[in-house]
Amino acid sequence: MGGLVIKKAYLITKQDPNYHALGARFHSLFFLATPHRGADNAQLLKNLLRLSNDSKIYVNDLIPQSGTIQTVNDEFRYVYQGAHLWSFFETVKTNLGFSHELIVEKDSAVIGLPHEQIQLLNADHRHVCKFADPSDSNYSTLRNAFVSTIESIEREWFSLVQDEYRSQMKILSRFLGVSRDPEDDLSNVIDKQMDGTCQWLIDKACFDDWQSSESAPRYFWLNGRPAAGKSGVAGHVMKYLETCSGDCSYFFFRRGDKESSNVCELLRSLAFQMAATNQKIRQTLLEMQQDGEVPSKDDERILWRTVFLTRILRIKLNQSHYWIIDALDECRNISQLFPLLSKIDKDFPLRIFVASRPSPSLERLILQEKLDIVSEQMTAENSLKDIRLYLEANSGFLPVSDDIARSDLIDTVLEKSNGCFLWTVLVLKELESTHSEQQIWEVLKDVPTEMDELYVRILDDMKTHTRDIELAKAILRWTVCAARPLTTEELKEALKLDINETLPRVEKSITSVCGELIHVDNKMRVQVAHQTVRAFLIKEGLESEFAIDRVKENSRLAEVCLKYLGGEEMKTVRNRQRSAGRRLVTRSAFVEYASFHFSGHIAQSSSSVDTHFMMLEAFLNSNILSWIEYIARKGNLYPITQTAKNLKAFLQRRAKYRSPLGQAVYTVDRWANDLLHLVAAFGKSLILSPASIYSLVPPVCPPHSMLHKTFGNRQPCLKVTGISEKDWDDRLSCMIFPQQYITAVACQDARFVVGLRNDTINVYYTSTLQEDRKLNHEEPIRHLQFANINSLLASSGRRKVVLWDIMTGAQMWIADHKNDILTLTFSEDDTILIAVTRSNQMASWEISTGKELDICPLHETISGDQSSYRPPATHAQFSTELDLLAVAHRQRPISFWDMTSNSFIGQFHVSGSKQYPGPLLVAMIFNPNPEISLLAASYQEVAHTLAASSDGRILASGDGGGTIQLFDFETLRLIYRVTASDYNVNAIVFFSSNLQFIDQTDTGDDQSENMSEEVLNGPQITGINLWDGDLTITTLSSHHLGDVLFGGREDGSVAMFEVQTGRFLNVLYSHARNIAISSLCWNKQDNVLASTDISGRFLARKVLQVSSSQWVADKIVLDKRSSQAINQILLSPDGKSLLVSTATSDDLWSLTAGLLHTHAVTQPSSHIRLTHPTDPSRLLFIDSTTVQVLSWNTLSPLAPNNLIKLRNSFPSYTICYSTPTLLVTFSNHNASPLRATQLSLWPLGSLHSNSENQDIEPLAFPHPQLAPLIKTLIGIHKTSLLFLEQSGWVCSIDLNLEKVKTEAEGYTRHFFIPLSWHSGREPRIEVTVRGDVVLAKGDEVVVFQRGLAFEEKVVFV
């Protein structure tokens, strides 16, 4: 009987959505003598129980062919897939006292389903699961079955874990921008090692102590002369530490490889490798990716803070992790690394091994940061040991007579090598071509012992092969000047484009043409034999036809890349029809290199050559869209941004030598500007749908942009009308806070916060600009400050300081204070919160407890003023990096304090004299980069506010006229100027990426925040088009023919707009001045428009069309006022009456006879009214849990008990729609829409009758993953429900019941709306009867035509 109960329980897990997760965890079901088809003895058992007056109802279910058994069996066969079935049957009859019987026959014990495992048990029914001892054969049978199942689970689990691991690392590879496997560099080194090499270092006591002692220094520095074999030692250390069960990460700097010669690339690679070896690190980085944080690609300080300090270095490791960094002296910005390393907590178990050449600059950096380090010099003696092992292993092929001669040869080579490993390798390769001992000794006699002389000898030999000279030059050009090593296939295609030669066997050709200078590694990458080869070939004064002129050769490489990018392979596929998808094109191996690095070669090319410049212009006007798509498919748009910067840098350099005028210069400059804006405005949409660049992106670009002018009007293409801006707007988004005053703004990584005077702190995501949550400080906010490392936020008001966990919204502690705070900051390690008060005091609190520490007075002796009076401070700024505090008093000099010793340092007098009063200081700020020890100060209203980018390069200022200026911080050279508004700029805050900033401006009664883009090209002066706030559209309603649109506005007016063009036509009528319209409702039957405003007034007027473009409002047919806020208005289908809904009642008004009926809402809640989808005389009353059918004429229920209960419903609904078969409910009420959304579809067949109370359940569709993606519903068009995704995409699901059942695992994506057009407040968006999507953008109406024709299926995994 128990087996049948298990089957029924399993059925429930498959049928009830609440238990689906549990059902998915079942792997195998074991049935031991289970009567699947009943038992013949069940009737006998029933009779016996009846005689004993102990009847059991369940016994009836065991009778063969019972209804219960048949139902369970029939349902089970449809849901068992995925579970492994094991059935065991008894073979021994059970002693019943009066007879011996098989209780469950084999036919009943076997289910009879495919793949069922069937086994017998040598037992009766009582003993199928009772065993005498482990040697029992029945025990062995069951144990073996369990073991088999467990092994199967382990295999499946391991496979899932491996698949999950690979998937996670693939995500992190894209997220961190790690394109090359770090193992590649390591394997190139390890493969060349012989057994016993490099053991000399492992045997040293200093190395053993560094590896094993907890008290040993964190750093080990191995230094040695060039080509001595340091890389081999570093690789050996890596492998040795791994054999000691240590987790290791390896990085090899290459000077000629621009991708791997900087600190950012080092940090990204190390983070990726640490994630590969540690699950906790992997998980924290995945969370970072899921939160929308973007690690910096070119700012090592931001990357270090966001990835390491706030994530990786806070993970508790169970054992030491080792970083092996080779050729550190080849790092291009090495000075940026050591200040970062010095911030690693001393208790974090990380050891760092560094190999490099001897370097005074390295020694200086180590001393400067006070790093405790073990240093070991690699001597010639050390190298000779490894060289001898190498020679002994590789000299066996040399033509010598005996072992004695071979030993003499090895001794000679060893003596001449002078401890240079590379010299030995190259000479040994040259000896491979000898045929006798005499030839060997001749080579050794002539070969030079210095590397440069050896390289000259090789070049001279290459020159003798005249037919191969051009090929050799090309190979050297691509190997020495390429941004990264090319693969043999990439080089093959590059040479074909460059010199029109096809090499069938590239590797062999390289060896024979370039001698020992170039080699192909085990990953088939073409590289110089050693870094000294590159340095030799590019050296000035080298007299050889093979010498490399980098400027000239970069011009040549740029031309080859552009030749490919502008060629046939990269041409746009035009047969796109109406699909956002695209067939993938097979391209040559050269596509990646050309796409990623062509602009880098342009930036380093000659300004005097026009060939590649003309080719660049041609490419930009032809194949650039397919290039953008290719980059976007790689999942990282940084190459597009870098390309724009490279093109701008090239134009600026070129302008010094050539005229900056001309069509080509204009085209390139405009395209560079477009590419910057493209990534900032549409980056996420491009990553989501790379093919959207063809038909969806150009139409939403400004008409004067190159993207729009060149590609925006091609067919088929989305058509966008109604936008007044003709060119790019530097403002990416604008948030307006009606009737609120913004008092503070702060930003860090994935979030930014806005403090309001109403005690509220609004938290937003920087990636989507969507609200995350609200925090209540309980008094007006004055200051907001993020922590340096942790996810903490400090807020202060007049009397309170509060510490928050920004990730959870939890309040950590509250502290009272008595004096006005001027500024807040966290100590560098986030252990103390520090504040400066207006009363010249520095206060501080422990982060962990909120305990107030000692208050430090800030009283210096002001020269020339010996009085005891100390004026209140007016400004204060911290620099935790420099341990400095700057304090200013009204018209007095700026005072500087040492925060470590709390001692006064000195003063700065702006006028150069010490006379008072001095100029009035209005703002000041330290440069956040400790290497730029500067403070910027603004006097006499020059700038009301100052801000600095986190890398210290940009200084931003805002003034009272709404002008924002960007300067180079060190030189104060104006870079960019933008007029953001006509109002005072109160604050500016940079995003962590330094590519965008927030400015806070006054806008009369309201305040706004603009998300602006930093454009580094200048100086330029531009303006931002701001709409009139009074004319902001607050609600929309479309005409039933789809030609025109009604829009309610902030100033109380109701206007008309033409859908075809988005053009404003005229104002129909107005409510009271500056009382915003809250809702509109149109009735097609009687041409009546009803409107309400925020004061509770509602009116209805007939609207007449007097010409093709002119509409007028006829007489007022209803004008009333509600005593409560109006939630909804709804005109009856015949246009004769108006339903007005508030929180407590529904009032039905006749447009001619006044109030008709009132329906009281007994339990005030969120409720919505809809006209019945099939019977216009009926009305649907929808609240949080029920639907009721009412009469339109009387507002009374059609039947007393016709309530339909919505099971598993949500507390309240914000939007509802209905079709003849479905009710659609959408809920989105909490501050965080990502966590408080629900979309449900309810079958409404029961609404077509007057049936009694009944319950309905929502359909399994849509997929539960869909609801959190929805920002708002747009409406129903034909059979599709349209909605706006959080990311800005207009999407749909089909409401056809048959498709709902078969297509429940996804939805359709159509086109996207730029985030800046619908951020900051709830979007006002409609769909017309013709399928045009209309969006209110400020005081304009933007119309998207033909958008729904583009379709891209999205399937949930």
Side-chain angles (χ1 to χ4, degrees):
M1 187 67 189
L4 296 177
V5 173
I6 289 298
K7 283 174 68 176
K8 181 60 179 177
Y10 183 75
L11 280 172
I12 292 173
T13 68
K14 294 297 185 180
Q15 295 168 346
D16 190 331
N18 292 321
Y19 301 107
H20 282 348
L22 176 62
R25 296 174 61 187
F26 281 79
H27 181 275
S28 298
L29 299 174
F30 294 83
F31 297 101
L32 277 65
T34 299
H36 297 291
R37 294 177 181 79
D40 292 335
N41 292 305
Q43 186 62 51
L44 175 61
L45 177 60
K46 179 180 179 181
N47 294 334
L48 292 173
L49 291 172
R50 185 185 297 123
L51 291 174
S52 62
N53 294 320
D54 187 23
S55 61
K56 305 290 185 182
I57 298 176
Y58 66 80
V59 175
N60 292 329
D61 296 333
L62 294 176
I63 297 175
Q65 306 305 317
S66 72
T68 299
I69 284 181
Q70 289 188 21
T71 300
V72 170
N73 288 341
D74 289 343
E75 293 179 353
F76 186 78
R77 72 177 62 253
Y78 293 107
V79 300
Y80 83 95
Q81 290 86 351
H84 300 264
L85 305 179
W86 294 77
S87 296
F88 300 84
F89 61 91
E90 61 199 74
T91 57
V92 178
K93 295 180 179 181
T94 302
N95 184 0
L96 301 177
F98 51 85
S99 67
H100 291 72
E101 302 285 347
L102 288 175
I103 301 302
V104 179
E105 298 285 349
K106 178 181 177 181
D107 288 345
S108 183
V110 175
I111 303 176
L113 292 173
H115 310 299
E116 176 185 11
Q117 300 286 331
I118 303 170
Q119 294 193 25
L120 64 84
L121 293 174
N122 188 25
D124 61 20
H125 195 74
R126 290 194 183 101
H127 294 88
V128 290
C129 58
K130 295 178 181 179
F131 317 105
D133 53 58
S135 64
D136 190 323
S137 61
N138 295 324
Y139 173 84
S140 298
T141 299
L142 283 174
R143 181 201 61 197
N144 293 340
F146 292 157
V147 169
S148 175
T149 296
I150 292 171
E151 289 176 347
S152 174
I153 292 173
E154 287 179 340
R155 285 194 301 271
E156 293 175 11
W157 177 84
F158 184 75
S159 176
L160 288 173
V161 168
Q162 286 296 99
D163 290 344
E164 182 184 25
Y165 172 81
R166 284 190 289 268
S167 175
Q168 290 176 344
M169 293 311 298
K170 188 174 182 180
I171 292 172
L172 291 181
S173 175
R174 292 195 299 268
F175 175 62
L176 294 169
V178 178
S179 58
R180 188 167 66 198
D181 188 350
E183 284 290 329
D184 293 349
D185 289 325
L186 183 61
S187 61
N188 288 332
V189 173
I190 297 298
D191 291 347
K192 298 176 183 178
Q193 290 185 351
M194 306 295 111
D195 290 340
T197 56
C198 310
Q199 189 62 33
W200 59 269
L201 179 62
I202 306 301
D203 294 336
K204 283 186 173 287
C206 61
F207 180 86
D208 181 67
D209 184 58
W210 170 80
Q211 178 211 349
S212 57
S213 174
E214 293 184 0
S215 61
R218 185 190 301 276
Y219 305 91
F220 192 104
W221 179 23
L222 175 70
N223 57 84
R225 65 195 185 100
K230 298 183 296 296
S231 296
V233 177
H236 183 76
V237 168
M238 171 84 168
K239 286 305 179 183
Y240 171 76
L241 293 173
E242 286 183 336
T243 61
C244 297
S245 301
D247 290 333
C248 299
S249 301
Y250 178 88
F251 191 84
F252 178 39
F253 281 104
R254 281 193 180 89
R255 177 175 294 174
D257 188 346
K258 297 179 180 61
E259 289 187 353
S260 64
S261 59
N262 60 76
V263 174
C264 276
E265 184 67 20
L266 164 73
L267 296 179
R268 289 198 300 269
S269 178
L270 293 176
F272 178 77
Q273 293 177 74
M274 293 184 78
T277 58
N278 187 285
Q279 191 273 334
K280 292 180 180 178
I281 294 177
R282 185 162 61 252
Q283 192 58 44
T284 193
L285 293 183
L286 287 169
E287 290 171 0
M288 183 181 178
Q289 184 264 343
Q290 291 162 4
D291 287 343
E293 297 185 47
V294 180
S296 175
K297 296 296 188 295
D298 55 6
D299 191 314
E300 58 281 339
R301 294 173 65 246
I302 296 176
L303 183 64
W304 177 257
R305 179 170 59 81
T306 56
V307 175
F308 285 90
L309 288 182
T310 63
R311 298 280 181 172
I312 293 177
L313 298 181
R314 297 178 65 189
I315 299 295
K316 186 175 181 180
L317 302 184
N318 296 325
Q319 62 180 17
S320 292
H321 192 101
Y322 298 89
W323 287 355
I324 315 299
I325 305 175
D326 186 27
L328 181 59
D329 53 303
E330 301 287 357
C331 177
R332 288 190 291 119
N333 54 344
I334 189 174
S335 62
Q336 305 298 321
L337 176 61
F338 285 89
L340 307 180
L341 297 180
S342 66
K343 293 180 172 61
I344 302 175
D345 190 281
K346 61 182 178 61
D347 295 325
F348 188 78
L350 176 67
R351 297 299 173 93
I352 302 176
F353 180 94
V354 173
S356 76
R357 304 175 187 181
S359 170
S361 62
L362 259 178
E363 293 181 11
R364 186 180 66 254
L365 289 169
I366 291 169
L367 290 173
Q368 180 178 310
E369 299 300 332
K370 301 175 183 178
L371 301 181
D372 193 8
I373 193 166
V374 177
S375 179
E376 179 68 24
Q377 177 78 33
M378 186 175 179
T379 65
E381 182 182 353
N382 301 139
S383 300
L384 289 173
K385 293 177 183 178
D386 294 338
I387 292 173
R388 177 175 288 279
L389 290 172
Y390 179 80
L391 289 171
E392 290 174 350
N394 293 277
S395 61
F397 61 87
L398 296 179
V400 292
S401 57
D402 52 37
D403 291 341
I404 296 176
R406 193 178 310 281
S407 178
D408 292 341
L409 172 62
I410 290 174
D411 291 340
T412 303
V413 174
L414 203 60
E415 181 181 354
K416 292 176 73 71
S417 71
N418 197 24
C420 182
F421 201 95
L422 175 63
W423 183 93
T424 306
V425 172
L426 295 178
V427 168
L428 204 59
K429 286 186 177 179
E430 190 166 347
L431 294 178
E432 290 179 4
S433 60
T434 60
H435 302 284
S436 66
E437 288 189 40
Q438 288 74 19
Q439 290 181 355
I440 290 176
W441 292 108
E442 286 177 9
V443 169
L444 291 177
K445 179 182 177 181
D446 297 336
V447 70
T449 57
E450 296 299 325
M451 292 303 303
D452 279 7
E453 295 176 5
L454 178 59
Y455 292 151
V456 170
R457 174 190 170 100
I458 294 173
L459 293 182
D460 289 342
D461 183 61
M462 290 167 55
K463 189 165 55 175
T464 61
H465 304 282
T466 56
R467 287 188 305 174
D468 298 332
I469 288 178
E470 289 305 313
L471 177 58
K473 287 181 179 180
I475 293 174
L476 291 176
R477 173 165 56 242
W478 283 98
T479 308
V480 172
C481 296
R484 62 160 175 79
L486 275 69
T487 66
T488 52
E489 285 300 311
E490 287 175 329
L491 181 60
K492 178 180 177 180
E493 297 298 326
L495 293 174
K496 185 176 179 180
L497 291 164
D498 189 359
I499 58 176
N500 197 29
E501 286 197 30
T502 302
L503 304 182
R505 292 183 293 177
V506 181
E507 185 175 3
K508 184 176 180 181
S509 299
I510 290 173
T511 304
S512 62
V513 170
C514 296
E516 293 79 33
L517 298 181
I518 309 296
H519 81 286
V520 178
D521 66 19
N522 56 5
K523 296 294 182 180
M524 304 306 291
R525 294 177 304 180
V526 183
Q527 309 204 49
V528 291
H530 191 265
Q531 300 299 327
T532 55
V533 175
R534 176 179 285 104
F536 171 76
L537 291 173
I538 64 176
K539 184 170 59 176
E540 288 188 18
L542 176 61
E543 296 181 0
S544 172
E545 58 186 306
F546 297 105
I548 300 293
D549 181 336
R550 284 182 293 179
V551 173
K552 176 183 175 183
E553 301 302 350
N554 271 292
S555 300
R556 182 68 173 266
L557 267 59
E559 291 176 18
V560 174
C561 290
L562 288 169
K563 182 179 180 180
Y564 173 79
L565 294 175
E568 290 294 322
E569 268 194 20
M570 291 295 289
K571 280 193 174 178
T572 302
V573 178
R574 300 304 305 275
N575 58 334
R576 303 182 56 78
Q577 301 302 320
R578 297 295 183 113
S579 173
R582 179 177 186 244
R583 66 178 182 86
L584 296 179
V585 178
T586 302
R587 296 188 171 110
S588 81
F590 189 59
V591 61
E592 179 177 308
Y593 184 87
S595 297
F596 278 65
H597 300 293
F598 81 94
S599 67
H601 291 302
I602 290 175
Q604 299 177 71
S605 65
S606 171
S607 301
S608 61
V609 179
D610 286 336
T611 306
H612 57 277
F613 195 57
M614 296 299 104
M615 294 176 71
L616 173 62
E617 181 191 20
F619 159 66
L620 293 174
N621 289 326
S622 58
N623 292 353
I624 189 170
L625 296 189
S626 57
W627 171 75
I628 294 172
E629 182 198 25
Y630 177 81
I631 298 294
R633 288 194 182 279
K634 293 294 183 179
N636 180 8
L637 300 182
Y638 179 72
I640 297 179
T641 302
Q642 190 59 49
T643 294
K645 292 180 178 179
N646 286 337
L647 296 184
K648 285 182 174 291
F650 174 73
L651 289 178
Q652 290 176 3
R653 180 163 53 83
R654 188 178 185 274
K656 298 177 182 178
Y657 309 100
R658 311 292 293 273
S659 170
L661 304 177
Q663 183 61 41
V665 175
Y666 173 82
T667 298
V668 174
D669 183 57
R670 292 290 297 179
W671 269 113
N673 197 41
D674 275 17
L675 294 178
L676 283 173
H677 284 86
L678 174 72
V679 174
F682 314 131
K684 289 187 177 296
S685 297
L686 271 176
I687 293 292
L688 203 60
S689 178
S692 64
I693 187 62
Y694 294 100
S695 301
L696 304 182
V697 173
V700 296
C701 294
H704 290 176
S705 68
M706 296 301 293
L707 270 164
H708 189 99
K709 288 197 297 185
T710 310
F711 304 106
N713 296 314
R714 294 186 176 183
Q715 297 292 336
C717 211
L718 172 72
K719 183 179 179 182
V720 182
T721 59
I723 291 295
S724 61
E725 289 98 340
K726 301 303 180 185
D727 215 334
W728 292 108
D729 189 337
D730 287 330
R731 185 188 60 205
L732 299 180
S733 180
C734 179
M735 293 182 175
I736 297 177
F737 296 83
Q739 312 304 319
Q740 297 295 337
Y741 190 85
I742 301 173
T743 55
V745 185
C747 177
Q748 185 191 65
D749 303 333
R751 290 170 176 82
F752 69 93
V753 291
V754 179
L756 303 174
R757 186 170 285 175
N758 69 352
D759 309 350
T760 302
I761 303 171
N762 291 1
V763 185
Y764 299 90
Y765 293 101
T766 56
S767 58
T768 63
L769 309 185
Q770 301 304 305
E771 186 176 292
D772 176 25
R773 57 171 50 88
K774 293 180 185 292
L775 309 175
N776 190 348
H777 183 84
E778 298 183 352
E779 67 174 349
I781 313 298
R782 291 193 174 187
H783 302 282
L784 294 169
Q785 179 66 45
F786 276 103
N788 298 310
I789 302 172
N790 301 298
S791 56
L792 300 176
L793 171 73
S795 60
S796 72
R798 183 178 178 82
R799 289 292 179 261
K800 292 180 181 179
V801 175
V802 182
L803 187 69
W804 308 87
D805 185 326
I806 199 66
M807 302 294 287
T808 64
Q811 191 180 87
M812 310 300 289
W813 49 257
I814 303 177
D816 295 327
H817 67 91
K818 299 179 181 179
N819 299 305
D820 288 350
I821 290 177
L822 290 176
T823 187
L824 285 172
T825 193
F826 286 80
S827 62
E828 196 169 11
D829 58 359
D830 283 355
T831 58
I832 299 174
L833 178 66
I834 312 170
V836 172
T837 68
R838 194 174 296 277
S839 57
N840 295 294
Q841 292 179 332
M842 185 163 62
S844 55
W845 297 265
E846 283 187 353
I847 293 298
S848 57
T849 63
K851 176 185 176 182
E852 187 170 10
L853 304 176
D854 294 338
I855 294 178
C856 174
L858 302 172
H859 293 314
E860 76 282 5
T861 299
I862 302 176
S863 177
D865 182 3
Q866 303 298 325
S867 68
S868 60
Y869 171 68
R870 293 294 180 263
T874 58
H875 298 82
Q877 279 290 321
F878 288 102
S879 174
T880 54
E881 295 86 355
L882 299 174
D883 287 325
L884 286 178
L885 166 65
V887 181
H889 304 79
R890 183 176 178 83
Q891 293 185 298
R892 291 180 180 271
I894 301 172
S895 302
F896 292 92
W897 295 75
D898 186 316
M899 292 174 59
T900 304
S901 61
N902 294 331
S903 59
F904 173 65
I905 298 175
Q907 294 178 328
F908 168 72
H909 302 259
V910 65
S911 61
S913 67
K914 299 183 180 180
Q915 297 181 351
Y916 303 106
L920 181 67
L921 177 77
V922 292
M924 64 178 178
I925 189 168
F926 278 101
N927 190 303
N929 188 339
E931 294 190 356
I932 308 175
S933 303
L934 294 174
L935 177 130
S938 173
Y939 290 88
Q940 303 294 114
E941 302 294 326
V942 173
H944 285 187
T945 185
L946 296 174
S949 60
S950 60
D951 57 10
R953 290 185 292 181
I954 304 300
L955 173 69
S957 70
D959 63 22
T963 298
I964 296 173
Q965 300 186 94
L966 303 181
F967 301 90
D968 179 283
F969 202 118
E970 293 188 81
T971 64
L972 290 185
R973 177 178 61 87
L974 178 64
I975 299 174
Y976 200 74
R977 178 186 296 157
V978 58
T979 301
S981 67
D982 294 328
Y983 301 96
N984 182 45
V985 179
N986 292 329
I988 300 173
V989 178
F990 278 86
F991 277 17
S992 297
S993 65
N994 294 324
L995 294 177
Q996 292 92 30
F997 61 83
I998 304 170
D999 70 272
Q1000 171 204 335
T1001 59
D1002 293 323
T1003 55
D1005 294 333
D1006 303 338
Q1007 282 211 331
S1008 68
E1009 281 195 327
N1010 298 300
M1011 284 59 175
S1012 307
E1013 181 186 3
E1014 176 188 333
V1015 182
L1016 302 180
N1017 180 34
Q1020 286 192 358
I1021 300 176
T1022 186
I1024 290 178
N1025 295 321
L1026 293 178
W1027 63 80
D1028 187 340
D1030 291 341
L1031 300 181
T1032 299
I1033 298 172
T1034 55
T1035 184
L1036 292 172
S1037 181
S1038 59
H1039 189 270
H1040 63 280
L1041 295 180
D1043 295 327
V1044 293
L1045 192 76
F1046 307 101
R1049 303 199 286 191
E1050 191 79 40
D1051 68 344
S1053 64
V1054 177
M1056 295 287 296
F1057 298 87
E1058 185 179 55
V1059 172
Q1060 180 66 24
T1061 62
R1063 181 170 58 95
F1064 166 76
L1065 296 178
N1066 59 281
V1067 173
L1068 285 175
Y1069 61 88
S1070 295
H1071 285 229
R1073 179 174 176 78
N1074 293 328
I1075 304 298
I1077 304 299
S1078 56
S1079 60
L1080 296 171
C1081 183
W1082 170 253
N1083 175 266
K1084 66 179 181 180
Q1085 189 69 30
D1086 212 24
N1087 291 330
V1088 173
L1089 180 66
S1091 56
T1092 67
D1093 62 35
I1094 58 175
S1095 72
R1097 181 186 179 190
F1098 58 94
L1099 57 82
R1101 301 184 69 162
K1102 290 197 174 184
V1103 177
L1104 306 176
Q1105 184 177 8
V1106 296
S1107 68
S1108 60
S1109 61
Q1110 187 70 24
W1111 298 69
V1112 296
D1114 201 2
K1115 62 180 181 179
I1116 298 176
V1117 293
L1118 181 67
D1119 188 353
K1120 299 292 181 180
R1121 186 179 299 275
S1122 170
S1123 60
Q1124 299 184 57
I1126 298 174
N1127 295 334
Q1128 183 189 2
I1129 57 173
L1130 184 65
L1131 283 163
S1132 62
D1134 60 7
K1136 303 301 183 184
S1137 55
L1138 176 69
L1139 179 67
V1140 180
S1141 296
T1142 67
T1144 59
S1145 68
D1146 289 334
D1147 298 328
L1148 186 64
W1149 293 83
S1150 168
L1151 298 188
T1152 56
L1155 183 63
L1156 298 176
H1157 300 282
T1158 295
H1159 175 260
V1161 179
T1162 56
Q1163 295 181 344
S1165 64
S1166 174
H1167 49 271
I1168 295 177
R1169 312 293 178 259
L1170 297 175
T1171 296
H1172 195 287
T1174 59
D1175 187 348
S1177 68
R1178 298 181 179 186
L1179 184 68
L1180 300 184
F1181 180 103
I1182 307 163
D1183 63 19
S1184 60
T1185 59
T1186 61
V1187 178
Q1188 192 172 22
V1189 183
L1190 308 179
S1191 167
W1192 244 116
N1193 295 328
T1194 64
L1195 297 186
S1196 58
L1198 293 180
N1201 298 311
N1202 73 336
L1203 275 178
I1204 299 172
K1205 186 175 181 181
L1206 304 177
R1207 299 184 61 184
N1208 302 317
S1209 60
F1210 211 64
S1212 59
Y1213 300 121
T1214 51
I1215 302 176
C1216 291
Y1217 298 106
S1218 66
T1219 71
T1221 55
L1222 291 173
L1223 170 67
V1224 181
T1225 60
F1226 177 67
S1227 306
N1228 183 6
H1229 270 272
N1230 289 356
S1232 177
L1234 293 176
R1235 293 191 297 273
T1237 11
Q1238 185 185 64
L1239 176 66
S1240 302
L1241 304 183
W1242 312 82
L1244 293 187
S1246 55
L1247 293 183
H1248 303 301
S1249 64
N1250 293 329
S1251 54
E1252 295 297 310
N1253 292 356
Q1254 55 186 299
D1255 294 355
I1256 58 174
E1257 293 190 6
L1259 300 176
F1261 178 77
H1263 195 283
Q1265 293 182 32
L1266 178 62
L1269 302 178
I1270 299 176
K1271 184 172 186 176
T1272 189
L1273 298 189
I1274 298 174
I1276 294 178
H1277 177 62
K1278 297 181 179 178
T1279 64
S1280 294
L1281 173 67
L1282 303 183
F1283 61 89
L1284 183 66
E1285 238 183 2
Q1286 295 284 357
S1287 59
W1289 282 84
V1290 172
C1291 308
S1292 70
I1293 55 175
D1294 200 314
L1295 297 183
N1296 182 300
L1297 270 179
E1298 292 303 316
K1299 291 189 176 181
V1300 164
K1301 294 175 182 177
T1302 58
E1303 299 181 6
E1305 298 304 311
Y1307 59 99
T1308 301
R1309 191 183 286 142
H1310 297 287
F1311 63 93
F1312 71 88
I1313 301 176
L1315 190 63
S1316 61
W1317 295 5
H1318 58 87
S1319 61
R1321 60 169 63 189
E1322 185 70 19
R1324 310 301 192 244
I1325 189 167
E1326 291 270 329
V1327 58
T1328 71
V1329 68
R1330 296 180 177 179
D1332 299 325
V1333 175
V1334 184
L1335 173 75
K1337 178 180 179 288
D1339 58 356
E1340 298 178 333
V1341 165
V1342 184
V1343 184
F1344 299 85
Q1345 299 172 15
R1346 304 194 294 259
L1348 300 184
F1350 295 88
E1351 296 182 348
E1352 184 176 16
K1353 299 297 181 182
V1354 180
V1355 179
F1356 292 114
V1357 179

